[in-house]
Amino acid sequence: IDSIADTTEALSTFFRYTITDTGNLVSVEDELENVENYFTIQHYRFEEKLKLEITYPKEEEVMRLRIPKLTIQPFVENAIYHGMEGMYEDGEITIRIYDRDGDIGIDVADNGPGMTQETIDHIMHNKVISSKRGSGIGVRNVNERIQLIYGEDYGVTITSELDEGTTATITIPKMEETDDAR
């Protein structure tokens, strides 16, 4: 019963976050809370065969930095639906937030089957083609939103190795709560 109550609460909080108009930018803390709610829902759905680890510098400044809303969750969703597909062992997703040469670096990594460079190129650059494996539109959407807000120097890169997993790296300039988008 507790897991049903927790999942229901996570679902309602996740939907409220998704549909509430809080503007383009939210704190890293709010975005991670949304990711944790999303993960709670999926953790229950996948019979607890998923693990999530989030690491970030311990100074509180990082949690107050502003990032575009719904930047991290689509990558966690991809890791679950594509990275964990067909795995026999437990799926592990790691989110790491760090200083990347004065910017914010956010890695979302999974221990799934990985993908080829050709698949990565298709996801990042080709037209949307709906398929059972996904269209890649979520990844491109996040990348395009980041580049519209901050410029071409920022966005998403994906690295992957077959049978090892995939890492999406998001790079965003550090912005305090009072800063406006550039």
Side-chain angles (χ1 to χ4, degrees):
I1 298 282
D2 283 346
S3 62
I4 293 172
D6 292 344
T7 303
T8 303
E9 183 177 337
L11 184 63
S12 66
T13 305
F14 173 76
F15 282 135
R16 193 167 29 260
Y17 178 87
T18 303
I19 63 172
T20 301
D21 183 14
T22 56
N24 275 343
L25 303 178
V26 296
S27 68
V28 169
E29 182 176 26
D30 287 347
E31 185 70 5
L32 288 176
E33 185 179 311
N34 183 58
V35 166
E36 288 173 340
N37 284 320
Y38 177 79
F39 188 80
T40 297
I41 298 160
Q42 297 302 335
H43 189 251
Y44 179 75
R45 184 172 169 243
F46 281 88
E47 299 172 353
E48 302 181 4
K49 292 180 117 289
L50 298 173
K51 293 179 189 153
L52 176 66
E53 180 181 341
I54 300 173
T55 61
Y56 53 90
K58 295 305 173 200
E59 66 265 14
E60 288 194 26
E61 164 201 326
V62 170
M63 297 306 266
R64 289 193 308 267
L65 293 173
R66 309 295 277 179
I67 63 174
K69 185 177 182 180
L70 297 172
T71 294
I72 303 172
Q73 182 272 332
F75 294 97
V76 173
E77 184 173 336
N78 281 353
I80 291 171
Y81 282 102
H82 304 297
M84 306 301 139
E85 188 176 290
M87 285 184 59
Y88 294 109
E89 65 270 6
D90 288 352
E92 296 175 10
I93 300 169
T94 304
I95 299 171
R96 188 171 72 95
I97 301 172
Y98 55 96
D99 182 279
R100 185 177 167 120
D101 300 324
D103 294 320
I104 303 171
I106 304 169
D107 289 349
V108 180
D110 67 58
N111 66 334
M115 58 184 141
T116 64
Q117 187 60 46
E118 180 183 33
T119 301
I120 294 169
D121 291 343
H122 178 82
I123 288 169
M124 294 304 291
H125 305 295
N126 287 2
K127 292 179 182 167
V128 174
I129 299 170
S130 185
S131 74
K132 187 177 179 190
R133 296 279 302 154
S135 65
I137 195 165
V139 172
R140 277 195 303 277
N141 179 287
V142 171
N143 188 50
E144 289 171 8
R145 284 188 303 127
I146 289 170
Q147 290 185 343
L148 279 170
I149 296 169
Y150 306 112
E152 300 281 317
D153 291 342
Y154 299 96
V156 178
T157 56
I158 298 174
T159 56
S160 189
E161 199 155 321
L162 292 175
D163 299 323
E164 296 292 322
T166 301
T167 301
T169 299
I170 305 160
T171 306
I172 299 170
K174 283 187 180 175
M175 292 179 58
E176 297 290 334
E177 286 199 46
T178 57
D179 293 345
D180 289 326
R182 297 178 183 179

